[in-house]
Amino acid sequence: DAGVTQSPTHLIKTRGQQVTLRCSPISGHKSVSWYQQVLGQGPQFIFQYYEKEERGRGNFPDRFSARQFPNYSSELNVNALLLGDSALYLCASSFTGGETEAFFGQGTRLTVV
Amino acid sequence: AQSVTQLDSQVPVFEEAPVELRCNYSSSVSVYLFWYVQYPNQGLQLLLKYLSGSTLVKGINGFEAEFNKSQTSFHLRKPSVHISDTAEYFCAVSDLANTGNQFYFGTGTSLTVIP
């Protein structure tokens, strides 16, 4: 079975641009969470979605938004990119989001220049 | 609010030697505790978790951790490390009232196993 898949794996954007990152959860999983991992730091929680509803939001500016589709895949959008948005963006999925274990994808490496 | 402190940013250890990676947490509520491993250019993989019950938790790849409530610690140990254990290790907490996968991670410990 496929694990959590994220696309693209790498991308480079210019300051001020917008970016969309994509995540497909494990088959049967209905919850998707997004994390930002800046180099040398631990992952920080951005959003969690379950059944297309936002369940939680971390301490990130409104430039960050996300949504979940009927097939439970998810997109993370970041507007007006800053150099500080350069990071590895991780997606995690679970059945309902209330479990104690989430499965992480390999991440999307975003570089803002 | 929860926070996690990993006291050692880098831990070098010789192959077949024992290792301990330290983790302390602070929380005003009861928490679940986790250790994740991250290999280069990879996502996070769960090593082990403490939910309740026995304070000694065994995980994959020969790792174990002990929950100490009085010291608010959850240190990770392995009696004999292999080259393949070289990776970044993250301690994380999630509070029991959490309705979703909202983990709070430490800053990580880079374990380097020396041949």
Side-chain angles (χ1 to χ4, degrees), chain B residues 54-67:
Chain B
S54 173
T55 57
L56 183 63
V57 179
K58 294 189 182 297
I60 62 172
N61 300 339
F63 284 94
E64 64 180 32
E66 185 158 16
F67 171 58

Side-chain angles (χ1 to χ4, degrees), chain B residues 45-86:
Chain B
Q45 181 184 2
L46 181 68
L47 275 178
L48 49 79
K49 60 186 177 183
Y50 172 79
L51 307 181
S52 64
S54 173
T55 57
L56 183 63
V57 179
K58 294 189 182 297
I60 62 172
N61 300 339
F63 284 94
E64 64 180 32
E66 185 158 16
F67 171 58
N68 188 317
K69 187 174 182 179
S70 63
Q71 297 188 5
T72 61
S73 67
F74 191 54
H75 300 333
L76 181 71
R77 302 185 184 100
K78 186 170 183 178
S80 175
V81 295
H82 301 140
I83 296 291
S84 59
D85 293 323
T86 294

Side-chain angles (χ1 to χ4, degrees), chain A residues 31 33 35 37 40-43 45 48 55-56 88 90 93-94 97-102 104-106, chain B residues 32 34 36 38 41-46 49 51 88 90 98-108:
Chain A
S31 174
S33 300
Y35 288 80
Q37 185 179 13
Q41 299 292 318
F45 173 74
Q48 193 220 354
R55 240 194 200 178
L88 180 68
L90 294 165
S93 79
S94 64
E99 300 88 354
T100 55
E101 181 172 356
F104 284 82
Q106 293 190 337
Chain B
Y32 297 134
F34 307 82
Y36 280 87
Q38 186 176 37
N41 300 314
Q42 299 283 319
L44 302 174
Q45 181 184 2
L46 181 68
K49 60 186 177 183
L51 307 181
E88 192 82 17
F90 292 97
N98 188 352
T99 57
N101 296 131
Q102 298 177 24
F103 298 97
Y104 297 86
F105 287 87
T107 53

Side-chain angles (χ1 to χ4, degrees), chain A residues 3-6 23 89-93 103-107, chain B residues 42-44:
Chain A
V4 178
T5 56
Q6 293 185 242
C23 172
Y89 288 85
L90 294 165
C91 173
S93 79
F103 296 84
F104 284 82
Q106 293 190 337
Chain B
Q42 299 283 319
L44 302 174

